Amino acid sequence: MERRVAILFVKKFTAPVHVENIIAMKKNALILLLAAFVCAGCATRYNISLTNGDVITARGKPKFDQTKGGFYYKDGQGNPAFVSGGRVREVAPASMSNESQFLSAH
C-alpha cells in the first residue's frame, strides 16, 4: 500500500523530463561558463611599480619592447602608453603585487 501511494505521489507531483530541455540547459550552461572565462581574462590588471614609488595599473599584461627598452601597456581608460624600462622596478599581476595601495600615475 505504501509503495502505491509513493508511486502516485511521484506521478502527480513530477513533470516529465524531455531530452530536448536537458540539451538546451546544458548548452546554456556551457555558454554562460565560457562567457565567465572570457570576461575574467579581460579583467586582468597588472601593477607596474616604478623606481620613484609610484604604481601604474595596466589593463592586461604589459609588453616589453627590446628595441625601445621599455614597456607598452594600456592605462585605466584603455589608452596605449609607454614607460621606460629604467623606471620600472616590478611588473606583477595586481593580485600578487607587493604594493598595498595602488596609485594612478599620469
Side-chain angles (χ1 to χ4, degrees), residues 53-65:
D54 286 345
V55 176
I56 301 170
T57 301
R59 287 186 180 181
K61 188 173 183 179
K63 307 279 190 266
F64 184 73
D65 185 352

Side-chain angles (χ1 to χ4, degrees), residues 4-106:
R4 186 172 186 182
V5 171
I7 291 172
L8 290 174
F9 179 79
V10 169
K11 284 184 180 180
K12 186 174 181 178
F13 293 106
T14 58
V17 178
H18 298 286
V19 175
E20 295 86 14
N21 291 344
I22 293 173
I23 292 171
M25 286 190 296
K26 286 184 179 183
K27 284 182 183 178
N28 289 339
L30 180 62
I31 290 170
L32 287 173
L33 185 63
L34 289 174
F37 281 120
V38 168
C39 290
C42 295
T44 304
R45 306 270 188 214
Y46 277 78
N47 288 333
I48 304 171
S49 301
L50 303 179
T51 56
N52 66 357
D54 286 345
V55 176
I56 301 170
T57 301
R59 287 186 180 181
K61 188 173 183 179
K63 307 279 190 266
F64 184 73
D65 185 352
Q66 290 183 346
T67 59
K68 302 266 184 180
F71 291 90
Y72 283 100
Y73 65 96
K74 289 190 179 180
D75 64 10
Q77 286 76 34
N79 301 319
F82 179 81
V83 65
S84 174
R87 295 182 57 206
V88 176
R89 186 179 71 213
E90 176 187 39
V91 176
S95 61
M96 298 178 65
S97 178
N98 292 333
E99 304 296 329
S100 60
Q101 197 173 29
F102 304 121
L103 305 172
S104 178
H106 300 288

